[in-house]
Amino acid sequence: MLRALEDRRARFHRVRQTIMDPQQIAFLFVVLPERLPIWETEKAVGALKKYGIPIGAILVNQVLPEEVGEAFLARRKEREGEYLAQIAASFGDWPLVQVPLLESDPVGVDALRALADRMVTAS
């Protein structure tokens, strides 16, 4: 039993050395330019930094292009419809609630109440 524990300890030590070696591994975070994803990424980055685990880069995804016109939004809306259908097919066993995209983050009780009034249960 002692031998098995020593072997496990040695394996964990090797894995830890590998994870902490920036020549072998680095974490890449993908963040959306929105409040909650930024907060979650800050927490995760802080935890990795605390233990000396290397971070390779932060990829900011879904950044709107400089010029957003009606054609761009129409294509996005069409693709969103396809994804919503996929979500319904994949997760239809559970209640699906759609939260609309807002111009700004809902901060405060009044804003959350207004958001709740706009949420739609998908069928």
Side-chain angles (χ1 to χ4, degrees), residues 50-122:
K50 178 179 177 181
Y51 294 103
I53 298 173
I55 298 164
I58 309 294
L59 183 120
V60 183
N61 197 10
Q62 297 184 5
V63 177
L64 290 174
E66 289 298 321
E67 293 187 23
V68 176
E70 289 182 31
F72 175 86
L73 292 176
R75 286 191 302 273
R76 288 280 306 185
K77 184 70 176 164
E78 182 179 330
R79 189 170 70 239
E80 179 183 83
E82 295 168 3
Y83 292 147
L84 289 172
Q86 181 180 352
I87 289 168
S90 296
F91 308 112
D93 293 341
W94 297 278
L96 297 173
V97 179
Q98 295 182 8
V99 179
L101 178 63
L102 304 174
E103 290 181 32
S104 62
D105 295 325
V107 177
V109 174
D110 291 338
L112 290 174
R113 281 191 183 120
L115 175 60
D117 290 342
R118 294 183 62 195
M119 290 171 48
V120 176
T121 303

Side-chain angles (χ1 to χ4, degrees), residues 31-45 60:
V31 63
L32 301 178
E34 296 178 6
R35 181 183 305 247
L36 185 57
I38 293 169
W39 179 74
E40 291 170 337
T41 303
E42 286 173 341
K43 283 179 53 177
V45 166
V60 183

